[in-house]
Amino acid sequence: MMGSELDIGEVARRSGLPASTLRYYEEKGLIRSSGRKGLRRLFDPGVLDQLALITLGRLAQFKLEELPAMLPGESGAALDRAKINEKAQELDRRIDELTALSKLLRHVAECRADNHFSCPRFKKLLRIAFRLREDDKKRHPGKASNTA
């Protein structure tokens, strides 16, 4: 390797991402190779920080198209704090929804009632789940749902 540059195999190993993903991210302009050694792409070690940020963005459910503006560099600006805060609020809402769903499922599994529909707590949890679903439909009107 030249200097401190990393070849694509080393970046893949250190980042845990397959080389095909690295090539795809490069094609999309999320990362940039600094050259080649034979047929292998070379990257500046800073690419590992960019990949960590991309991974964080993907975990937070940012779309790939949203990420270039979030990455430092020639084409990217500083992190968009408003967009990040909006995404954090969206995740908080999702956590609330999943917590309510988890409580409902646990209650169903543990409830000693002969008929769940005669259990007031079960019925309350069902109403909460229904309300969460309706709220989600209002937030995402065009979102396809596989639930009735």
Side-chain angles (χ1 to χ4, degrees):
M1 284 187 282
M2 297 177 183
S4 65
E5 292 180 320
L6 307 172
D7 72 24
I8 194 168
E10 182 66 12
V11 174
R13 186 185 70 73
R14 289 190 188 185
S15 68
L17 297 169
S20 59
T21 298
L22 300 175
R23 288 188 293 272
Y24 179 72
Y25 285 172
E26 184 177 20
E27 179 184 313
K28 293 295 184 185
L30 296 171
I31 61 173
R32 191 169 63 200
S33 62
S34 57
R36 290 188 179 267
K37 181 180 180 187
L39 296 176
R40 296 178 74 81
R41 289 172 171 84
L42 297 175
F43 294 91
D44 182 271
V47 76
L48 296 171
D49 290 336
Q50 285 182 285
L51 291 168
L53 189 57
I54 292 166
T55 300
L56 175 64
R58 297 298 290 155
L59 287 171
Q61 299 179 348
F62 279 99
K63 296 176 182 151
L64 277 181
E65 305 81 51
E66 295 175 295
L67 292 176
M70 310 282 285
L71 296 170
E74 295 173 21
S75 63
L79 296 176
D80 184 337
R81 294 172 194 270
K83 188 169 278 219
I84 291 170
N85 190 46
E86 181 181 312
K87 187 60 75 171
Q89 289 173 344
E90 184 181 313
L91 289 172
D92 287 342
R93 284 190 299 272
R94 187 68 181 136
I95 288 167
D96 290 344
E97 293 169 359
L98 292 171
T99 299
L101 180 59
S102 175
K103 285 180 181 179
L104 175 63
L105 293 175
R106 288 194 191 287
H107 184 77
V108 169
E110 297 167 1
C111 183
R112 302 231 186 267
D114 291 335
N115 178 342
H116 283 91
F117 289 98
S118 66
C119 173
R121 179 159 166 74
F122 176 75
K123 289 169 81 172
K124 178 184 176 188
L125 290 168
L126 280 181
R127 285 191 300 276
I128 291 169
F130 185 74
R131 194 168 49 247
L132 289 171
R133 181 178 175 271
E134 293 303 309
D135 290 347
D136 188 55
K137 284 171 58 177
K138 288 176 189 171
R139 280 194 307 273
H140 307 285
K143 183 175 151 183
S145 176
N146 58 0
T147 58

